[in-house]
Amino acid sequence: MVKYLFKIQEKIVPEMITLAEVRYTILRTINFNQPVGRRTLAGLLDISERNVRNELKFLEEAGLITVTPAGAMIADSGMNFLGELDKYIKELKDINILEERLKRVMGLEEVLIVPVGLEHDSVEKEIGRQAADYLRELLKDGDILAVSGGFTLAQVANSMKTSDSSRNIIVVPGQGGIGEKVEIQANTIAAEIAKKLGADYRMLHIPDNIKKENLPVITSDPAVKQTLDYLKKANILIHGIGGAEDMALRRSMPRETIQHLLDLGAVGEAFGLYFNEKGEVVFATSSVGLGPEDLKEVGRVIVVAGGVNKARAIISVVSPDYHDMLITDELTARELLKLKGGEVKKDR
Amino acid sequence: MVKYLFKIQEKIVPEMITLAEVRYTILRTINFNQPVGRRTLAGLLDISERNVRNELKFLEEAGLITVTPAGAMIADSGMNFLGELDKYIKELKDINILEERLKRVMGLEEVLIVPVGLEHDSVEKEIGRQAADYLRELLKDGDILAVSGGFTLAQVANSMKTSDSSRNIIVVPGQGGIGEKVEIQANTIAAEIAKKLGADYRMLHIPDNIKKENLPVITSDPAVKQTLDYLKKANILIHGIGGAEDMALRRSMPRETIQHLLDLGAVGEAFGLYFNEKGEVVFATSSVGLGPEDLKEVGRVIVVAGGVNKARAIISVVSPDYHDMLITDELTARELLKLKGGEVKKDR
DNA sequence: CCTTGCGGTAACGTTTATGTCCCGGTGTAT
DNA sequence: ATACACCGGGACATAAACGTTACCGCAAGG
């Protein structure tokens, strides 16, 4: 019914579809970069300054943003409205249909696709925002949430709104430190998400490249042990995905190890595990935390990954056996469908 | 769901609602007045010629109209699309909600409200068109359709599309001639509708102001008798409504009779019967055809009436006992709700 | 056969929107 | 303290859109 009416609408007022998208993108961009001025906005998106100016005026008059001397800021009502707009734009751009198709092809319970706008900025912030919104609604009292590290997850943590009310939730890192920058380590992210949610959290302090024979010593540490116990009891897990080579490089592996990895056919990485195209684990970093078998125990496993270049990695890692949900962007979704053999007909 | 999305849309692209209405109205007006040129259109609606020009160009490029040397004509696809647009605009303007409310207040099974555009032309053509469309879809083989006279019904007949395939339907006039001009007599209208539908029809030739004692003579005439028989078997009836005073004047009643009518409280007229505000028949023109009791026998009674000034007459005539459906325009619908005590809150 | 009315196209002056640049102010990093 | 980057608002030339008028062709009606 909705789609039917939208089709009629597109025929009678086709120009408005573009306009709606532009305003949506502007509002979205302000949301992240606030406070931001019109010139910066015009540069960020590919719109003329004048045009941005007009749209800013419109958005201000609609009460969605406030314009301060420091730049445009999103208003409270604008914040709320952005959430509504997400749904609207999805309907407009047929993203719901994309979601259904991808859900079927990947064998997942749920798929969330964020529309890609005209910002030449990365879409990862946007994925992060919507993942964060989704998580916030999902979490209930008593939940134990496990999170991985990575850039995408950092975005999730970063764009999560702050709750005033504290909730009876515990956030735990899904893995120890594995030679990453602090901002994108699972520990840091777990802590930040917990803080935003008003929840509790546990840390998993494990040194890099720990020798296997020393593992028992570490895991017998009471603090570590407690965290690991929570981890086993986690009922929600959200994690990112990396390209195999990228991750190996980022973790400064020796060159021959990387070559070895690639020879084994590794294309995707998650949790220190490297997967080949068939979805088999071909290599595992000696790390502490969740293993592939543990994922099956977790009630709801959400994977967040965006960017067309990550498509192959996503396919290698995501499996109906482990995962329940995928959050990605429109372009990547289309690429996934293409790779999976599903024809990507733009049916509008 | 639809309404929800439209609300969002109205906030993010409010200008398009006007635009959609303008284009709708133009398409609609072309449909009636074709072939019609820019200037005439600009005069008919209250839009500048330049604006009309742009919209015509748009509509032509969309393939909805064709521009001939004689003026703009609606294309086949435009015809079909107009039907879709009706539904869309209804949704947009919350007419569906209006319909539901009016249905409840009037106690009818169905209500059809046509959106009022910006043409200062009468809306009766528009009501006629939509009533005709509705009728066309409603009628099935074997149906016997009874029609009344009147200006509105003439519009219905006039704007009905011609069917190539003939249908096994019989159209009969619901009343004899009662001193009207030929074009709006039931006989004429029945014949025209039958022709458009590719159906059969019967006439009811009865002189005006026939004396009661002569009735048996007339009704014993085989042709008349046959028509009356069909009339009794009619399963669908569509009729108009007149203001009591207007109708009396049109039928050139003597002044004292009119005064008598008004003293009796007559406000509405249908089928030569005059109704007071309570819906009681206070006066009956001596005419042959359907009486109030017959209406109850007819499966589906549709009343067509538009114009705010007819609101009181509509209320007096239309009753759940006799009627199943009302077709009117937006403004009149709002007026009816107001008169019936239903608050007319514009909830958008 | 001519007038009249309505059609499209073209032209033109005016208004409005657009792209661009500059200015004064402000917060921040040096 | 100073320089810098960025802010909103204003200014202005230019381009586009608009409203209006004029013109020509065609068909209907006198």
Side-chain angles (χ1 to χ4, degrees), chain A residues 48-318:
Chain A
S48 76
E49 186 189 324
R50 218 358 155 56
N51 218 313
V52 170
R53 203 165 168 172
N54 292 339
E55 298 309 339
L56 279 189
K57 188 170 161 231
F58 168 84
L59 291 171
E60 188 181 11
E61 279 169 4
L64 299 175
I65 62 171
T66 49
V67 175
T68 70
M73 309 265 285
I74 195 157
D76 283 351
S77 64
M79 271 296 230
N80 299 332
F81 189 63
L82 192 53
E84 314 284 288
L85 259 186
D86 287 336
K87 297 177 208 158
Y88 169 75
I89 294 285
K90 267 193 175 186
E91 201 72 51
L92 199 67
K93 296 187 75 176
D94 281 349
I95 298 240
N96 292 318
I97 295 174
L98 246 192
E99 284 177 351
E100 285 306 315
R101 222 181 290 159
L102 193 56
K103 200 191 293 185
R104 215 170 45 236
V105 169
M106 302 287 288
L108 297 173
E109 275 178 29
E110 199 169 349
V111 164
L112 197 155
I113 298 177
V114 325
V116 44
L118 32 80
E119 60 269 69
H120 36 210
D121 202 344
S122 80
V123 289
E124 264 161 348
K125 282 184 180 175
E126 197 43 41
I127 294 181
R129 176 175 71 87
Q130 298 212 23
D133 276 3
Y134 179 83
L135 256 190
R136 271 176 62 90
E137 295 215 358
L138 179 69
L139 290 167
K140 298 173 303 296
D141 264 18
D143 281 341
I144 298 177
L145 170 69
V147 302
S148 80
F151 185 70
T152 312
L153 261 289
Q155 289 294 347
V156 175
N158 187 34
S159 54
M160 183 164 276
K161 292 177 212 154
T162 312
S163 291
D164 5 326
S165 61
S166 65
R167 297 203 258 182
N168 184 22
I169 293 169
I170 297 174
V171 187
V172 284
Q175 59 197 135
I178 26 178
E180 304 266 12
K181 279 173 279 177
V182 178
E183 326 73 272
I184 62 172
Q185 282 197 10
N187 273 323
T188 321
I189 291 167
E192 187 171 353
I193 289 181
K195 202 178 75 187
K196 294 280 184 71
L197 285 172
D200 206 357
Y201 66 93
R202 295 290 179 279
M203 293 282 89
L204 194 58
H205 291 297
I206 305 210
D208 293 358
N209 302 327
I210 185 174
K211 287 182 191 149
K212 284 219 174 88
E213 56 266 32
N214 290 338
L215 261 182
V217 182
I218 298 288
T219 52
S220 63
D221 175 84
V224 171
K225 195 168 182 313
Q226 193 198 27
T227 306
L228 288 176
D229 282 347
Y230 274 120
L231 202 46
K232 299 292 177 203
K233 286 191 289 180
N235 62 335
I236 298 177
L237 162 65
I238 183 166
H239 74 89
I241 288 180
E245 192 170 0
D246 297 344
M247 293 305 288
L249 285 169
R250 216 200 280 168
R251 285 172 188 161
S252 45
M253 276 190 184
R255 184 172 291 175
E256 62 261 28
T257 317
I258 297 181
Q259 194 51 51
H260 180 223
L261 253 180
L262 297 180
D263 289 345
L264 288 168
V267 290
E269 183 275 351
F271 282 107
L273 305 170
Y274 289 79
F275 296 77
N276 69 7
E277 290 212 332
K278 289 177 191 157
E280 299 157 346
V281 177
V282 293
F283 189 89
T285 312
S286 69
S287 174
V288 179
L290 291 170
E293 289 310 308
D294 299 322
L295 267 73
K296 295 183 181 172
E297 304 300 317
V298 180
R300 188 166 193 84
V301 181
I302 304 167
V303 56
V304 192
V308 178
N309 55 333
K310 273 194 187 171
R312 304 197 94 87
I314 292 173
I315 288 182
S316 76
V317 172
V318 175

Side-chain angles (χ1 to χ4, degrees), chain B residues 36-40 53 70-71:
Chain B
V36 63
R38 268 205 298 276
R39 259 184 294 271
T40 317
R53 192 164 166 179

